[in-house]
Amino acid sequence: MKILVIAEHNNENVKASTFSTINAASQIDQNIDVLVVGSDCNNVTSELSNTQYIKKILLIDDTKFQNPIAENISKIITSCAEEYTHILAPASTFGKNIMPRVAAILDVAQISDIIKIEGKDTFVRPIYAGNALATVQSQDSKKVITVRPTSFDAVSKEGGNGEIQKLDLDIDISNVEFMGREETKSDRPELGSARVVISGGRGLGSAENFSLLNKIADKLNAAIGASRAAVDAGYISNDSQVGQTGKVVVPDLYIAVGISGAIQHLAGMKESKIIVAINKDEEAPIFNVADYGLCADLFEAIPQLSSELDKLNTIQK
Amino acid sequence: MKILVTVKRVIDYNVQIRVKSDQSGVETDNVKMSMNPPDENAVEEALRIKEAGKADEIIILSIGEEKSQETIRTALAMGADRGIYVKASNDTEPLGVAKIIEKIVDKEKPQLILMGKQAIDDDSNQTGQMVSAKLNWTQATFASKIEIDGDNIKVTREIDEGLETIKMPLPIVATCDLRLNEPRYASLPNIMKAKKKPIESLSAEELGIDITPRLKQLKVIEPPKRSKGIMVADVAELVQKLKNEAKVI
């Protein structure tokens, strides 16, 4: 068996999702190569060559591939697919965009968003927004898989000794023109990998009120999330959305403020280690999944939480 | 320009699903079924493009068991022109579905295919990308804004980091995000009119497509239940519990 992992990166750094995907791959077999397609991405390859388990880093470094256009990357992957039994990528919007094309070109099924590996051909994946878990066995000779990053810890970024191999491929470039990307910049940890997440819902009432959460997030070094209702109401941008159609998060501590707990939202956070819910409606379904519930007016509770945190001698960051 | 829109009949998003006790799947008998939510956004977008004078015909395609025709009828009642129904098992995998769509595209020659980004039953998020690869067309997944300008199309995509905009010539496959638009409700006169709109019936065998599953579903189980925790009296107690009991801050 031999596995190819598709690296997600921004030409500067490897994304955390890639290290989780490498861990998932290592549970199938530890004969792992990684493919990097990008432009001016020396730092990406050096990070990966130090990473645990990596044998080879296949590199295509060209300004043509500065942006991850699915048509181009899927062709690159399929042209080097032959020697691999498994091809894995993170189930991020990067991987979801590319991997079904790879599977279709290879005429195999894709196994989406796996959360557990039961064997070289058997995997567990959530269906119905995580309300059921399906165990599936692949009958295809090649397995094309996307991995839910939050279900696998990152591998060690040290101690590896991967060899970099430049690929020389002649790929027809797609006629997709990349116009631009609006990334939401933040000094806070990334929502998908933060140790603590504080999320707000419609209960916050306005974008201005939503910023009340910033002070708590600063103190806990938390990422800020939101329910779909809060995003739709325009309190915060959509990349903060936690839920079935947003991000799935599994932090050590998840604090839900003014969130009622729609099935949609629960699908994105109910695997968190500790869940705190603050809501004034004692019937809110969020309390059914909370380890600690506080039935209170959030506009009183949030300032109190801030001052209680100030009283602590130390806070884990 | 013709637009092809695909719709899937799924368990309604408001229904709390039940896993069958023999672990063979999810209970669908006597359960409310509806159009897959992002497919409604795809239908709505097609209607808006046609209303703006940029398309002549909207064809609705559904693949599945007999009752999928009801879902086509819903889209026709929203305003689409005609339907194509392909009989196949409801468990047909995305690869098989993509092959069926490819055949229909060969026949109908649409310039734009609009699909939901994901079906809320199997959550695969694959079919649109597979159709695009099979046809060797370009794709624009997770679309939250679509602008057609002559032979070109500009799509804003929802990605993990924020938003991304790409531009390309038609034909393309676009998969629709829930934020693309607000789907309309069918009016009573339009529901009546839709009853007279044609739906062509085909089957996967007639089309000569092998849709044998590639994945064997070994079992379906409920996820481990989270036990209900405790209610705290005030913020001070909450912070003490988080510090000393859960040890997370």
Side-chain angles (χ1 to χ4, degrees), chain B residues 222-238:
Chain B
E222 269 182 51
K225 276 229 163 40
R226 210 183 164 98
S227 53
K228 193 175 166 157
I230 58 161
M231 296 300 286
V232 293
D234 54 34
V235 173
E237 188 190 348
L238 174 65

Side-chain angles (χ1 to χ4, degrees), chain A residues 212 215-216 219 301-311, chain B residues 235 239:
Chain A
L212 287 171
K215 214 164 154 187
I216 309 292
K219 289 179 187 177
I302 293 302
Q304 284 169 10
L305 179 56
S306 178
S307 58
E308 286 295 326
L309 290 173
D310 286 341
K311 289 185 199 162
Chain B
V235 173
V239 170

Side-chain angles (χ1 to χ4, degrees), chain B residues 160-191:
Chain B
D160 290 339
E161 296 82 4
L163 296 171
E164 182 179 287
T165 307
I166 53 176
K167 189 178 159 189
M168 65 223 110
L170 292 164
I172 74 156
V173 178
T175 74
C176 302
D177 187 88
L178 294 170
R179 262 184 216 94
L180 180 60
N181 53 43
E182 189 72 44
R184 68 193 65 188
Y185 290 101
S187 66
L188 191 59
N190 282 342
I191 293 171

Side-chain angles (χ1 to χ4, degrees), chain A residues 114-181:
Chain A
I114 63 163
I115 59 168
K116 200 172 163 211
I117 288 154
E118 303 239 301
K120 63 179 173 23
D121 58 2
T122 307
F123 311 94
V124 180
R125 54 177 305 262
I127 54 175
Y128 291 92
N131 288 304
L133 303 176
T135 304
V136 295
Q137 185 175 37
S138 167
Q139 321 279 94
D140 287 314
S141 57
K142 253 187 225 311
K143 280 92 176 135
V144 174
I145 298 168
T146 63
V147 176
R148 179 172 288 193
T150 49
S151 295
F152 297 88
D153 292 333
V155 289
S156 169
K157 291 161 207 166
E158 281 160 30
N161 190 20
E163 172 206 338
I164 297 168
Q165 183 187 329
K166 287 201 169 174
L167 294 184
D168 190 16
L169 292 172
D170 191 17
I171 299 286
D172 288 339
I173 297 300
S174 144
N175 56 9
V176 174
E177 187 187 338
F178 189 88
M179 312 276 290
R181 186 179 292 142

